[in-house]
Amino acid sequence: MVIHDHSDNARPMRRRGKRTLTPAMLDAVAELAGPAPAFPGKFDVVRVLRALRRPLGLSRNAFELLVCMVERTATGDWEKGATPFIYAHNTTLLNWTGLCLSSLRRAIRDLAEARMLTAHDGRNGQRGRRWQGDEDASRVGFSLASLRYRWPGFMEMLEAERRHRSQIRFLRDAIADLNGVIRQRAEQQGDDAAILQASGIMRRRLRSESIETLSVYHDDMKALWHRLEACPVPVDNPSPDARWTPKVAPMDPNSGTHYTDTKNNLSEIKVVNVAATGRNRIEAMRSAAPADPVVTSSGPDLSALRGFRATSTFYLEICPPLRDLCPSEKPTQPQLTDAAEYLSGQIGITHHAWRQACVVLGRLQASITAIIMAARLHRGEPIRYRDAYFRSLVDRGARSALYLDRSLYALRDACARMTRPPGPSRPSCPVGLRQ
């Protein structure tokens, strides 16, 4: 019996005239003996592969060859109990992909090294002409069943890619918003250099998909905006010289009043004399209640926090992901709101929804709303459509129906239960908080 060493230090199995087998290829063949973790459909596999073009790390030829192979398989081969298999000869694969023979062999080896497929050679192990075996004969070609074992990893990569795309879209929108206000301010000041600098950042932001690079571009735009904001806007006051006074033709008695449609015939104006007892009617109208009274409330009642006050340390305790975005352990309120803005992009909130929340709720309450959502997601609570959920909270805040204090009290109690040491049962509510 021959035992193959599958460790990282194992050398490839080289056989003259036969396929060279690496430890990764041997591991891919060995895992086919175990049960598959998932059985995705053919079109689901194609859709996920095209969405993971960058995270897979494959070369362009290898990626296009893998997608082409999956598309050429039968739909029923991806069902449970069947095996997706490709019987195509090298000539057929060359016609499908348009590659040369050396590029095709290199792409197949890259896919085998990445454990995306397994090669099944003929009876003598030769890399020659491939044929479809009968029921009792072994099939020769490429098996794509390894994709079933990669499927859980594909799902994790797809979720990470969605978060990455949402963060990139959020940063690009934020840079575009700053570009609008910078161009307006620079045109007022006549600063053409600032306009050119902002335009260059706008062009470069579309060429980069790195969050670190886009964050640097966003900081550059903010620095440019602060520099323009520090400079006063020049005001063009008109000259008091009489030469700039417009000349207006004098009015004659027949022309009447300019720019009016009223008649100058005073005999047609109806004058209603108020009786001496008419003031009683006027005073009664003044004292009458309005037909549609306006409900007036104080400031804390209209706030979504309902008078709740907390320190920045409290928000860091209920939302641990916020710690990585804050520059210190005790951030100030501007630092906390800036960190919450970046956090909103990480949890799937678009920049347009964030801007609306800042207008409707204010920057502080919008930040607290995003922090509450992030804290719930960190605890494992499901929120399917996160941007729509955030917009619904903003809509409730516009109707004074948003109660952030209740969510903050609940998160505080949950954190207290997690940090409380085990001991005898305590009352559900302290005596000092009962009403």
Side-chain angles (χ1 to χ4, degrees):
M1 178 178 64
V2 180
I3 299 177
H4 299 291
D5 186 8
H6 295 176
S7 62
D8 296 337
N9 298 327
R11 300 178 60 183
M13 182 184 301
R14 299 184 181 277
R15 301 169 297 172
R16 184 175 181 180
K18 300 179 182 179
R19 189 182 303 277
T20 301
L21 300 179
T22 61
M25 296 180 185
L26 296 176
D27 292 340
V29 174
E31 71 178 354
L32 296 179
F39 293 91
K42 168 185 172 180
F43 300 102
D44 294 336
V45 174
V46 173
R47 177 178 56 84
V48 171
L49 287 178
R50 292 192 180 278
L52 299 178
R53 171 66 182 89
R54 184 186 60 85
L56 285 178
L58 299 173
S59 62
R60 181 176 182 180
N61 294 338
F63 177 78
E64 295 296 338
L65 176 62
L66 179 62
V67 174
C68 182
M69 284 184 173
V70 174
E71 292 176 343
R72 297 288 179 170
T73 56
T75 306
D77 292 346
W78 292 91
E79 298 178 357
K80 189 174 182 179
T83 302
F85 212 87
I86 287 291
Y87 303 100
H89 189 256
N90 287 344
T91 305
T92 307
L93 293 177
L94 293 176
N95 294 332
W96 288 352
T97 58
L99 302 175
C100 61
L101 184 59
S102 59
S103 299
L104 177 65
R105 290 175 178 174
R106 193 179 304 111
I108 292 175
R109 177 161 293 276
D110 292 343
L111 294 176
E113 287 286 345
R115 301 170 64 179
M116 298 293 178
L117 55 80
T118 56
H120 296 262
D121 296 326
R123 292 186 296 271
N124 56 357
Q126 296 289 336
R127 296 173 299 179
R129 185 176 179 83
R130 309 183 186 279
W131 66 93
Q132 181 175 356
D134 300 330
E135 296 180 359
D136 298 335
S138 61
R139 295 184 295 180
V140 179
F142 298 101
S143 174
L144 301 177
S146 298
L147 296 177
R148 295 173 174 173
Y149 298 86
R150 308 282 85 77
W151 189 255
F154 287 167
M155 293 293 100
E156 296 178 1
M157 295 169 62
L158 184 62
E159 183 64 25
E161 183 68 11
R162 288 175 178 172
R163 292 195 301 267
H164 181 79
R165 289 294 179 184
S166 63
Q167 295 176 16
I168 290 177
R169 185 168 56 253
F170 181 85
L171 287 174
R172 286 177 176 175
D173 293 343
I175 293 173
D177 292 340
L178 286 175
N179 177 68
V181 295
I182 286 174
R183 288 183 63 90
Q184 182 179 3
R185 191 61 177 263
E187 289 176 357
Q188 294 176 357
Q189 298 180 2
D191 193 348
D192 297 336
I195 297 177
L196 293 177
Q197 184 178 355
S199 300
I201 296 176
M202 285 289 291
R203 289 192 301 268
R204 291 193 298 270
R205 97 188 199 284
L206 297 177
R207 303 171 187 171
S208 175
E209 294 186 355
S210 173
I211 296 179
E212 291 77 10
T213 305
L214 291 175
S215 300
V216 173
Y217 292 161
H218 185 256
D219 295 339
D220 294 343
M221 292 290 279
K222 288 199 299 185
L224 182 59
W225 163 246
H226 291 320
R227 181 173 66 82
L228 293 175
E229 193 177 14
C231 300
V233 178
V235 180
D236 297 334
N237 295 323
S239 176
D241 194 351
R243 292 178 302 173
W244 299 100
T245 304
K247 296 182 179 180
V248 182
M251 296 174 56
D252 54 356
N254 299 327
S255 62
T257 305
H258 285 276
Y259 308 111
T260 181
D261 295 330
T262 57
K263 296 181 179 181
N264 295 326
N265 189 1
L266 299 180
S267 61
E268 298 182 0
I269 299 178
K270 296 182 180 180
V271 180
V272 179
N273 297 325
V274 180
T277 58
R279 181 164 298 275
N280 297 332
R281 184 175 74 252
I282 296 176
E283 294 296 337
M285 293 172 62
R286 288 178 178 176
S287 61
D292 188 11
V294 179
V295 179
T296 59
S297 301
S298 59
D301 295 337
L302 293 178
S303 173
L305 294 174
R306 311 291 172 178
F308 184 89
R309 294 182 180 180
T311 60
S312 58
T313 309
F314 169 78
Y315 295 109
L316 295 181
E317 290 178 356
I318 64 174
C319 185
L322 194 63
R323 297 179 181 271
D324 300 335
L325 302 175
C326 292
S328 62
E329 297 181 355
K330 294 182 179 181
T332 60
Q333 180 175 330
Q335 293 175 350
L336 186 69
T337 53
D338 291 342
E341 181 178 358
Y342 283 103
L343 183 64
S344 63
Q346 293 180 1
I347 63 178
I349 299 174
T350 61
H351 189 67
H352 184 267
W354 171 260
R355 293 200 313 268
Q356 287 185 340
C358 292
V359 173
V360 176
L361 302 178
R363 187 174 176 83
L364 177 60
Q365 295 188 28
S367 303
I368 295 175
T369 306
I371 291 173
I372 291 174
M373 286 185 58
R376 292 183 55 191
L377 292 172
H378 181 73
R379 294 179 56 193
E381 300 182 15
I383 300 179
R384 294 185 59 187
Y385 305 102
R386 300 176 184 179
D387 187 64
Y389 180 78
F390 183 76
R391 291 177 184 271
S392 65
L393 295 180
V394 175
D395 182 67
R396 289 172 57 185
R399 294 183 283 107
S400 300
L402 181 62
Y403 300 90
L404 296 179
D405 56 333
R406 300 178 182 177
S407 302
L408 293 173
Y409 280 125
L411 292 173
R412 184 199 63 180
D413 296 341
C415 293
R417 286 193 298 269
M418 294 176 60
T419 58
R420 181 182 302 168
S425 60
R426 299 181 181 180
S428 59
C429 181
V431 177
L433 296 180
R434 292 179 180 175
Q435 298 179 356

